[in-house]
Amino acid sequence: MLGLMQDRPLLISSLLDHAARNHAGSRIVSARPDGSLVRHSWPEIAARAAQLAHALAARGVQRGERIATLAWNEHHHLEAYYGISAMGAVLHTVNPRLFPGQIAFILADAEDTHLLVDPTLLAGAAALADQLPPSLRAIIVMGSEADIPADCPLRGRFELLAQESLIAGQPTQFDWPELDERSASSLCYTSGTTGEPKGVLYSHRSTVIHAISTLQKDCFAIGAADVVMPVVPMFHVNAWGIPYSAAAAGASLVLPGAKLDPASLHRLIEEEGVTFSAGVPTIWTALLNWLRAEPGRRFAAPPRLVVGGTALPTAINAGFLKEYGVSILHAWGMTEISPLGTTNARKPENAGWDEDRFLDYARKQGRPLFGVELRIRDGAGAEIPHDGTAFGELEVRGPWAAAAYFNRPGDAAFTADGWFRTGDVVTMDELGCIEIVDRAKDVIKSGGEWISSITLENLIMGHPAVQEAAVIAMAHPKWDERPLLLVQPKPGMAPTAEEILAYYEGKVAKWWIPDAVEFVESLPHTATGKLWKADLKTRYKGRVAG
Ligand code: ADP
């Protein structure tokens, strides 16, 4: 027997309609490169999104056609988020910090027909002109004609348009199509930390369910009165879905643009009354250090933060809470899961723990949101015990997890029984809380046992002479692999290999201690700021231990 409820599709257009109809009093504030602010309301964003959709439809853009953006967090980008997806086309956000070859690769892979570019990124796009794919029909600069320099090298090679001229005079209402909720809405490529970027194709349904789910108390906890500042970029995993969750909640948005330095962020938080923000640890580490160097600077009303992308250092969490009254929720996610998977909010079992005990526990990545199922299996395929010690690869299933990659059928990341293999190696404790100990590709497989490269890296970061460190596997004739430690010393310091290795004694099992130390001037990072181990592995490929 079927239920007798209305079968209304879950569409991105409904998020925009809801915010515009019911939350006209909330504001969308965008920071310009010169620091000045532009203000809109949800109805104004909805009108401009409708105009963009009309303009693209007039250019013949069809349902399912991919339209790329190369942009920061600002209002033109928000209008593209809604206008492109709501009309039935696919918003393809591109990370401007990727290497030029990677950008060209993913534009071609997606077969984008239009590229919307922020004026500050136009020169970068022009430098790529020779590599842009033939599918590209036009480049739309997210601003006015004045934002396109007369000598722009793209002139004459591509149709070059200004978004403001394109939308001028277009109707401010769009009769959004009633799409199948499973239709593709947006496309984002993984940052390629562990290989070629792979496209994740979100649907209207997955996006809306993810947005609603992230609003819950143990996740973003956003309401209409909140002022939400996504520092996480709109070019990567839809800024953790915040542009959508903010609309569902009817909240105000503060879009910080390209300037994410601590002073600019602190100013926005204070002047716009930001109550909630989300970003990677690097951003908050910089803000904390800046605040400490500016005695007297505080928050009039401390915002709540959600932090993820890489592990949250306990020292940062503790510093914000104890010195500035800012509470941080540690979250874990991935491009492939829209991205939110787990958060480490308190449960009845640890609700009574004192501050320091919980701060230590908050280094763990947390427990699943409703809708996210986790399975952890060891190298032999058996599920591991939930004792906080045994580790295995984390697999995920749920309505906002990917079922396949775009253009790459049969990828080994998807199991035959319908789970996505995250590539993260984790433990799970008695409270159901996971802790990432490594990426499956980075774990060092020594004599059939696993050594966590991340544990070795985190430990050595406590050595007073170490600026940054990476641990990778080197081949070993007897043990298959042994750890090699790469250390970037702090400026002016010259520790010896013996001093460095001695630091591990008593902290890890003897057989975990790296076989060798190399000192380097710097370590390579990916576009999303993570250690680029694939590059290191190539560089040290021939290195043999023993
Ligand atoms: P990429 O996989 O290309 O690095 P993502 O942005 O999708 O790009 O990153 C997802 C990965 O980032 C996860 O698989 C995990 O390894 C890491 N990650 C995300 N959140 C956390 C976190 N809170 N702690 C540790 N690692 C994290």
Side-chain angles (χ1 to χ4, degrees):
M1 187 195 260
L2 292 179
L4 292 173
M5 306 308 286
Q6 299 180 9
D7 195 10
R8 303 285 300 144
L10 300 170
L11 298 177
I12 286 175
S13 55
S14 61
L15 294 171
L16 183 63
D17 283 346
H18 168 77
R21 219 177 272 139
N22 304 307
H23 296 283
S26 298
R27 57 191 198 279
I28 315 294
V29 182
S30 296
R32 284 213 185 93
D34 65 1
S36 64
L37 302 176
V38 198
R39 291 171 193 281
H40 294 90
S41 62
W42 278 111
E44 285 166 344
I45 293 292
R48 289 175 53 87
Q51 289 183 304
L52 177 63
H54 278 294
L56 293 174
R59 293 185 51 78
V61 169
Q62 303 290 315
R63 289 194 191 169
E65 197 169 312
R66 272 82 63 206
I67 310 292
T69 60
L70 204 53
W72 311 114
N73 293 10
E74 66 82 67
H75 71 92
H76 290 93
H77 207 178
L78 187 66
E79 292 149 22
Y81 258 57
Y82 281 105
I84 292 169
S85 298
M87 72 182 286
V90 177
L91 167 87
H92 173 201
T93 52
V94 182
N95 182 344
R97 299 203 184 100
L98 289 176
F99 308 110
Q102 284 183 318
I103 295 183
F105 166 83
I106 66 176
L107 290 175
D109 194 59
E111 295 178 86
D112 296 302
T113 64
H114 292 71
L115 172 63
L116 277 69
V117 188
D118 186 274
T120 60
L121 295 167
L122 191 56
L128 273 176
D130 290 339
Q131 299 175 59
L132 293 175
S135 57
L136 206 60
R137 300 212 307 270
I139 293 179
I140 301 170
V141 178
M142 297 161 105
S144 61
E145 303 290 345
D147 289 311
I148 312 179
D151 58 355
C152 176
L154 292 166
R155 265 188 214 284
R157 302 187 60 171
F158 292 91
E159 197 176 351
L160 197 55
L161 307 160
Q163 189 167 339
E164 294 299 340
S165 325
L166 194 66
I167 68 169
Q170 295 286 354
T172 53
Q173 295 279 334
F174 196 111
D175 195 6
W176 301 120
E178 196 156 303
L179 306 164
D180 182 328
E181 64 178 16
R182 295 163 302 173
S183 308
S185 57
S186 67
L187 176 65
C188 177
Y189 282 71
T190 61
S191 42
T193 308
T194 53
E196 278 285 280
K198 298 173 186 177
V200 179
L201 189 61
Y202 308 102
S203 69
H204 285 261
R205 175 187 154 82
S206 71
T207 304
V208 173
I209 301 182
H210 177 264
I212 298 169
S213 187
T214 56
L215 293 179
Q216 62 184 286
K217 187 162 180 238
D218 285 350
C219 193
F220 294 164
I222 301 173
D226 274 298
V227 180
V228 176
M229 180 167 76
V231 178
V232 279
M234 288 168 72
F235 57 70
H236 193 52
V237 216
N238 300 325
W240 298 358
I242 290 174
Y244 307 117
S245 21
S252 294
L253 271 176
V254 173
L255 303 174
K259 281 176 131 172
L260 303 180
D261 61 282
S264 304
L265 292 181
H266 184 262
R267 182 194 139 211
L268 284 172
I269 292 170
E270 290 304 279
E271 289 181 5
E272 296 304 318
V274 170
T275 59
F276 172 84
S277 187
V280 293
T282 330
I283 292 283
W284 306 119
T285 306
L287 179 57
L288 182 62
N289 290 337
W290 179 83
L291 284 166
R292 284 173 171 160
E294 301 257 316
R297 273 217 211 263
R298 309 204 53 86
F299 297 104
R304 287 174 294 115
L305 305 180
V306 170
V307 176
T310 56
L312 167 66
T314 304
I316 302 302
N317 197 358
F320 267 113
L321 187 63
K322 294 184 177 182
E323 296 163 47
Y324 298 96
V326 171
S327 70
I328 299 184
L329 180 64
H330 189 186
W332 166 86
M334 296 182 78
T335 309
E336 289 88 339
I337 55 171
S338 300
L340 264 292
T342 65
T343 66
N344 195 348
R346 290 192 192 230
K347 298 177 85 171
E349 294 90 328
N350 57 26
W353 290 5
D354 65 32
E355 198 171 273
D356 283 322
R357 189 168 172 205
F358 192 76
L359 279 169
D360 176 48
Y361 191 72
R363 74 177 188 279
K364 298 196 181 198
Q365 282 73 16
R367 56 191 166 82
L369 301 180
F370 165 73
V372 174
E373 288 176 79
L374 305 182
R375 178 169 85 176
I376 307 166
R377 296 194 295 161
D378 65 18
E383 287 201 42
I384 60 153
H386 297 173
D387 58 6
T389 312
F391 49 79
E393 185 179 354
L394 178 65
E395 299 175 347
V396 178
R397 189 164 74 172
W400 58 84
Y405 288 116
F406 181 68
N407 267 347
R408 280 174 167 255
D411 193 284
F414 302 95
T415 69
D417 62 345
W419 292 75
F420 165 65
R421 297 174 53 192
T422 64
D424 282 335
V425 176
V426 305
T427 61
M428 183 182 271
D429 65 18
E430 297 78 3
L431 300 190
C433 189
I434 59 162
E435 181 169 16
I436 297 187
V437 296
D438 218 333
R439 299 281 284 217
K441 285 182 178 139
D442 299 336
V443 123
I444 288 127
K445 296 166 189 95
S446 173
E449 299 284 345
W450 285 6
I451 299 174
S452 157
S453 64
I454 293 184
T455 304
L456 293 177
E457 285 159 10
N458 289 347
L459 270 174
I460 207 65
M461 294 291 280
H463 188 290
V466 175
Q467 176 86 22
E468 199 179 10
V471 172
I472 56 169
M474 57 182 162
H476 188 281
K478 178 165 175 205
W479 303 115
D480 293 335
E481 291 180 359
R482 288 297 302 157
L484 166 65
L485 171 65
L486 306 169
V487 169
Q488 178 189 345
K490 283 202 175 131
M493 299 213 170
T496 65
E498 290 70 31
E499 282 162 20
I500 294 289
L501 291 178
Y503 191 76
Y504 283 116
E505 276 164 29
K507 299 189 177 79
V508 292
K510 261 210 147 37
W511 61 276
W512 274 45
I513 297 180
D515 284 21
V517 185
E518 289 259 342
F519 293 98
V520 295
E521 270 174 29
S522 65
L523 288 163
H525 293 91
T526 65
T528 42
K530 300 179 192 188
L531 266 178
W532 193 20
K533 293 218 179 150
D535 182 60
L536 287 172
K537 285 180 197 169
T538 319
R539 283 196 217 170
Y540 290 90
K541 206 168 173 188
R543 189 70 197 261
V544 177

